[in-house]
Amino acid sequence: MSSLCLAVATLALSQPIAPPNEDHRFKWWNEAKFGMFIHWGVYSVPADNTTKSGGRSIAEWHLSNQQLQISEYEKYAPQFNPVKFDARAWVRKAKDAGMKYIVITTKHHDGFALWPSKLTSWRVGAASPFTRDPLKELAQECKRQGIRLGFYHSIMDWHHPDYLPRRGWETRSASGADMNRYVDYMKGQIRELLTGYGPISVLWFDGGWERNEQDLRSKEVNQMIRELQPNILINDRNRLAEDFSTPEQTIPANALPNGRPWETCMTINDTWGFAKDDHNWKPTKTLVRNLIDIASKGGNFLLNVGPTAIGEFPPETDTRLAEVGQWLRKYGKAVYGSEKSPFKRPPSYGRVTRKGDSLFLHVFDWPANGELTIPGLKTPIRSARVLGGPSLSAEGATVVGVPAEKNPIATVVEVRLRGKLEVEDVPLGPDARGNLVLLPNDATLHGGLQVEDGNGTPNVGFWLKSTDSIEWNAQLPASGQFKVSLVYAAEPAAAGNEISVAGLPFTTVSTGSWQSYRMVDLGTVSLPSGNVKLNIQVKKMTTGAVINVRQLVLTKI
Ligand code: H79
């Protein structure tokens, strides 16, 4: 999974970035914050998340998990007969959950078309007995109930004879297969999808990692999409960065650099397609807090539902969606149309979102002293009020008082300021043991450096210039001696750069790759009490790239 994620992240960052705030196409998306992903197709019939060797996987990968020939997989299609499918009910559930858009799999990696495509018989109404058009019914209901619709479309197609490569276990010959003809087919199917169903708000590609931009004729395909639907948003998985990044099953450590739009997609249990034995359902509290966390970092949340082959949402999904909706009906003002937190770090008690000169404190756990301080807030607070609850008093940048009624998921306090929002950098203090643990998200990055997601453990990366540097602002209660340790990664070709770390010299050594992190002890420093700046700078650059930095630790001696 990591190679896919990395490919996606690197691609996204290496492309020029359009200024999303000035682009009218993003207006609804920035306000929406929360959407429903739907994974539904022939794989919903076996509903099996196991692998051939007895491990766990994701159910929509059934053909691959069980290493089936397509003729074996095709046998499930006659059982894909979702007579209980009710677009009106599905859209109603999305709306009641507080979701503002739906993205549905028109075709997953198994190649099965969820609409009556004229270009294949591997589709509903031909390979499957279901003669209705699920996409048409969904599009009509979305329009009727006022919610936007997007289409997921898999580039990888295990079924189409022209798509290459074949799976390793396949007996089907690859001779005569023509990838160029496959792209024509894919274009034809996307054309059907973008001309037959009214306005489509999102084209959500997936499965592009087996081929490059040239093979996939990505520019040409995306250009056609924009001609057919000028206001559409296209994700970053057709080998081009396009409109937004797509972290999968993970929430970035912070907002993405340069205001790059992003959307985390995530499952409610462990699998996307329905799996009868996957009972690992996330609690409602996790789902809502994820949404809050994402909104506080300026992203969107696309939460997945895997309906059954008969066309129903699993009951565990229904209850959670309803509960998320309940929370949003009370506190949605702090989520919809909000902007990311203006602070570098979240407060210890929760998360922050913002609307102009109002802040919203999403309180997960109320501090024992009953005070919500907002570190880094310079503008004094004018008033504070629990959404749907009482007013609280305030002193300077601190909200004082605990409401009698607290929401166990998160209670939101709306904070109005006395003037324009002004924030300042808060120096880091030592931890309980007196050590300074300096992390990417606490740093000030100079030059082209960026914080990368690192699959959940962020690192500073893109260190390509000798003038780039990392700086931390710390506050020490007393002077002392510290051992300096750096956690970094560098591929072999990047070894031999001379850098300075908290004033100590270090010549970089390869750790094996950009992803293999190693801790090195660099010596000791003595630091004065009060405000100190700690940095990593380049003294002499001898290769094209310096290091990735995961953390700098100063251990009290
Ligand atoms: O549609 C959903 C997934 O099926 C798809 N993207 C989301 C939105 C996806 N494709 N790839 N991945 C997710 C991650 C890759 C997982 C893999 Fe595996 C790990 C492929 C091979 C090893 C899991 C285990 C899937 C197959 C075996």
Side-chain angles (χ1 to χ4, degrees):
M1 213 166 279
S2 65
S3 65
L4 166 64
C5 294
L6 279 167
V8 167
T10 314
L11 183 74
L13 295 168
S14 61
Q15 303 274 337
I17 292 159
N21 295 334
E22 294 156 33
D23 191 330
H24 72 279
R25 295 174 306 127
F26 283 95
K27 189 168 183 290
W28 74 268
W29 201 74
N30 289 338
E31 278 164 15
K33 293 279 177 263
F34 192 28
M36 176 183 279
F37 215 174
I38 299 178
H39 275 70
W40 197 41
V42 167
Y43 44 82
S44 315
V45 173
D48 175 11
N49 64 338
T50 66
T51 65
K52 206 174 178 183
S53 52
R56 299 275 142 182
S57 181
I58 37 184
E60 70 285 359
W61 278 64
H62 182 70
L63 181 153
S64 167
N65 296 335
Q66 296 296 331
Q67 307 196 346
L68 302 180
Q69 304 300 324
I70 57 169
S71 57
E72 297 172 294
Y73 185 79
E74 281 171 350
K75 289 177 187 152
Y76 294 118
Q79 296 168 66
F80 187 69
N81 189 20
V83 293
K84 292 265 181 75
F85 170 60
D86 180 350
R88 187 159 294 192
W90 285 19
V91 174
R92 172 57 49 204
K93 285 177 190 188
K95 288 196 71 174
D96 286 349
M99 292 156 158
K100 305 295 188 188
Y101 59 110
I102 292 176
V103 177
I104 185 166
T105 50
T106 58
K107 182 192 88 160
H108 204 263
H109 308 333
D110 66 2
F112 183 81
L114 200 60
W115 79 103
S117 171
K118 292 190 175 68
L119 301 174
T120 182
S121 56
W122 182 231
R123 62 166 173 86
V124 286
S128 123
F130 195 66
T131 52
R132 288 154 55 191
D133 181 349
L135 299 188
K136 186 134 280 174
E137 292 180 24
L138 201 58
Q140 279 166 356
E141 270 310 314
C142 285
K143 186 174 177 203
R144 207 181 66 85
Q145 298 191 44
I147 174 168
R148 285 172 181 265
L149 180 63
F151 285 157
Y152 168 108
H153 200 76
S154 175
I155 293 164
M156 179 162 73
D157 189 321
W158 300 327
H159 191 277
H160 197 277
D162 281 323
Y163 181 85
L164 292 173
R166 298 280 184 257
R167 305 304 101 189
W169 57 87
E170 272 193 276
T171 54
R172 222 170 21 145
S173 162
S175 88
D178 178 354
M179 207 37 208
N180 214 28
R181 213 160 48 203
Y182 172 74
V183 176
D184 290 341
Y185 167 79
M186 188 177 87
K187 272 185 81 179
Q189 286 207 317
I190 293 173
R191 179 177 286 279
E192 289 182 344
L193 290 167
L194 299 185
T195 52
Y197 298 91
I200 298 303
S201 296
V202 178
L203 201 300
W204 213 105
F205 279 113
D206 199 7
W209 59 83
E210 293 189 324
R211 310 298 306 222
N212 63 30
E213 180 197 326
Q214 284 70 36
D215 296 345
L216 297 175
R217 291 153 45 198
S218 304
K219 288 210 175 91
E220 172 196 330
V221 172
N222 287 7
Q223 191 185 327
M224 176 195 77
I225 291 168
R226 296 200 190 282
E227 275 162 20
L228 297 175
Q229 297 273 349
N231 292 321
I232 205 164
L233 298 175
I234 305 178
N235 79 347
D236 62 346
R237 295 195 181 193
N238 187 18
R239 289 307 198 180
L240 295 170
E242 296 295 347
D243 294 321
F244 64 96
S245 297
T246 53
E248 179 166 327
Q249 302 285 36
T250 158
I251 300 172
N254 220 328
L256 299 192
N258 306 316
R260 167 79 176 168
W262 60 277
E263 173 192 68
T264 280
C265 58
M266 194 178 280
T267 50
I268 303 186
N269 50 355
D270 288 334
T271 179
W272 303 87
F274 175 65
K276 52 188 179 311
D277 294 329
D278 180 358
H279 306 298
N280 192 23
W281 300 98
K282 294 176 184 75
T284 302
K285 183 166 158 174
T286 304
L287 301 175
V288 174
R289 288 187 176 185
N290 282 351
L291 174 61
I292 294 169
D293 188 25
I294 288 166
S296 80
K297 296 167 182 172
N300 277 19
F301 192 27
L302 189 64
L303 183 61
N304 182 71
V305 174
T308 65
I310 203 160
E312 293 177 321
F313 287 12
E316 296 88 345
T317 298
D318 280 339
T319 53
R320 283 161 181 77
L321 291 181
E323 287 164 5
V324 172
Q326 252 173 18
W327 187 90
L328 276 167
R329 271 190 289 282
K330 188 153 182 196
Y331 301 109
K333 184 184 177 189
V335 174
Y336 302 121
S338 68
E339 303 160 74
K340 70 178 159 66
S341 167
F343 307 109
K344 229 184 216 170
R345 292 186 291 276
S348 57
Y349 47 81
R351 294 289 181 275
V352 178
T353 56
R354 167 189 183 187
K355 275 185 187 171
D357 293 327
S358 282
L359 297 174
F360 296 94
L361 311 180
H362 301 249
V363 184
F364 296 167
D365 307 292
W366 226 282
N369 68 0
E371 294 184 359
L372 305 172
T373 53
I374 310 175
L377 177 62
K378 282 179 82 177
T379 323
I381 296 171
R382 179 202 304 279
S383 65
R385 182 180 65 93
V386 175
L387 289 187
S391 292
L392 300 174
S393 55
E395 289 161 21
T398 301
V399 175
V400 181
V402 183
E405 257 184 73
K406 295 188 281 293
N407 188 297
I409 295 173
T411 310
V412 179
V413 179
E414 179 173 4
V415 169
R416 297 229 164 104
L417 303 179
R418 283 196 188 281
K420 234 179 119 43
L421 173 82
E422 275 187 74
V423 302
E424 62 191 346
D425 200 14
V426 183
L428 273 168
D431 65 13
R433 275 166 279 168
N435 304 331
L436 280 174
V437 180
L438 306 169
L439 298 168
N441 288 314
D442 299 322
T444 302
L445 303 180
H446 298 286
L449 296 178
Q450 294 177 8
V451 177
E452 297 181 273
D453 173 43
N455 269 326
T457 310
N459 65 273
V460 177
F462 291 83
W463 199 329
L464 306 170
K465 285 212 186 107
S466 64
T467 47
D468 293 352
S469 69
I470 311 179
E471 179 179 284
W472 286 276
N473 181 6
Q475 181 85 31
L476 290 173
S479 63
Q481 288 264 104
F482 294 85
K483 185 181 83 169
V484 177
S485 315
L486 176 70
V487 180
Y488 82 103
E491 67 172 22
N497 286 297
E498 293 170 31
I499 63 173
S500 145
V501 182
L504 299 172
F506 176 53
T507 303
T508 63
V509 177
S510 166
T511 61
S513 78
W514 289 118
Q515 281 79 44
S516 315
Y517 284 85
R518 194 180 294 165
M519 182 181 265
V520 287
D521 292 338
L522 303 179
T524 61
V525 291
S526 49
L527 297 174
S529 69
N531 214 293
V532 284
K533 297 249 193 267
L534 296 155
N535 51 46
I536 308 181
Q537 294 165 324
V538 181
K539 291 285 165 222
K540 193 171 168 204
M541 194 159 168
T542 57
T543 71
V546 187
I547 50 173
N548 280 351
V549 174
R550 198 175 254 180
Q551 53 173 284
L552 177 61
V553 185
L554 279 78
T555 312
K556 187 110 205 276
I557 303 175

